[in-house]
Amino acid sequence: QLYKEALEAYKRSDILQSDNNWTLRHSAQCLRILGQPVEALNLLLQAEKNSSDNLSLQIQIGDCLVDLKRYDEALTRFFKVDYLKPDYPKAWRAIGWCAFLAGRIDKSIEYYDKLLKGKPTGNDCLNAGHAYFVDKSIQHAVALYRQSRKMLGNEQFESEFEKDRPILIEKTTRSEERRV
């Protein structure tokens, strides 16, 4: 309910000053949370016309494209950010997860390994574990899951893992199909 109210406030603000990037981006964030990624993407593309060099905006656009399962387009955005701002963990996270969803497990592992060499979060370890699991590197996956559990705590780890379970099953099944 609060996101709907915020969205209405942003719409009123847009009447006073249209095409304001801050308003467009925050409206888009509300729309994503409300499950309207197409509308969010349209606003972000509108904002991009005013600031195509904004890397944070590129990540936001990529995130919307991921929501829409347009993984190749999303990866293009994320790789652009990685190219323009090397050593940027936010881009690595986005690439790692999007590559995983796209079935590009080698690329996913490459970017999660970069994150793991720095200061990984519990979710980084969890997602890297997923990539290694699908890659059939079970011992490495288990070690990463343990590290994630330790960082997140049992309850949050189990909640996050459960949320990812359908994706993990799908990727594992597709991996098996490719090997046959």
Side-chain angles (χ1 to χ4, degrees):
Q1 182 62 27
L2 291 177
Y3 289 106
K4 286 182 183 178
E5 291 174 18
L7 187 57
E8 289 305 314
Y10 292 136
K11 285 179 183 176
R12 286 192 301 275
S13 172
D14 193 53
I15 292 169
L16 298 173
Q17 185 181 4
S18 65
D19 290 341
N20 177 290
N21 275 11
W22 188 91
T23 305
L24 291 170
R25 292 179 69 184
H26 284 80
S27 296
Q29 192 63 28
C30 288
L31 286 166
R32 275 190 73 214
I33 291 167
L34 293 169
Q36 300 175 44
V38 172
E39 294 84 352
L41 179 61
N42 288 334
L43 292 181
L44 294 171
L45 292 173
Q46 191 177 336
E48 184 183 34
K49 291 175 186 171
N50 302 327
S51 63
S52 61
D53 59 342
N54 183 315
L55 300 183
S56 177
L57 178 59
Q58 293 299 314
I59 295 278
Q60 265 189 292
I61 292 170
D63 288 341
C64 270
L65 291 166
V66 168
D67 292 346
L68 295 167
K69 297 182 181 356
R70 293 164 54 181
Y71 304 127
D72 289 338
E73 292 173 71
L75 281 169
T76 299
R77 300 288 179 153
F78 299 145
F79 283 132
K80 176 182 178 179
V81 173
D82 186 43
Y83 176 78
L84 294 172
K85 189 174 182 181
D87 299 322
Y88 186 42
K90 189 168 186 171
W92 297 348
R93 265 182 205 98
I95 292 168
W97 185 245
C98 187
F100 179 76
L101 293 174
R104 296 175 62 184
I105 304 305
D106 291 347
K107 188 59 71 178
S108 179
I109 287 172
E110 176 187 334
Y111 277 85
Y112 279 119
D113 282 350
K114 285 183 173 191
L115 284 165
L116 295 172
K117 288 176 186 167
K119 295 180 182 173
T121 66
N123 280 334
D124 293 336
C125 295
L126 176 69
N127 294 336
H130 294 341
Y132 276 103
F133 184 81
V134 171
D135 194 50
K136 303 294 182 216
S137 301
I138 306 302
Q139 286 182 327
H140 198 168
V142 169
L144 287 164
Y145 288 148
R146 284 186 179 134
Q147 186 177 353
S148 175
R149 181 182 292 271
K150 184 176 179 183
M151 295 170 85
L152 296 174
N154 288 337
E155 192 173 311
Q156 186 179 355
F157 173 83
E158 289 173 16
S159 172
E160 295 290 332
F161 192 95
E162 197 56 39
K163 196 168 54 176
D164 293 344
R165 184 184 301 273
I167 296 166
L168 192 55
I169 290 169
E170 174 196 336
K171 297 304 168 198
T172 304
T173 304
R174 285 201 179 150
S175 174
E176 287 296 321
E177 290 169 358
R178 275 189 231 111
R179 292 175 196 252
V180 174

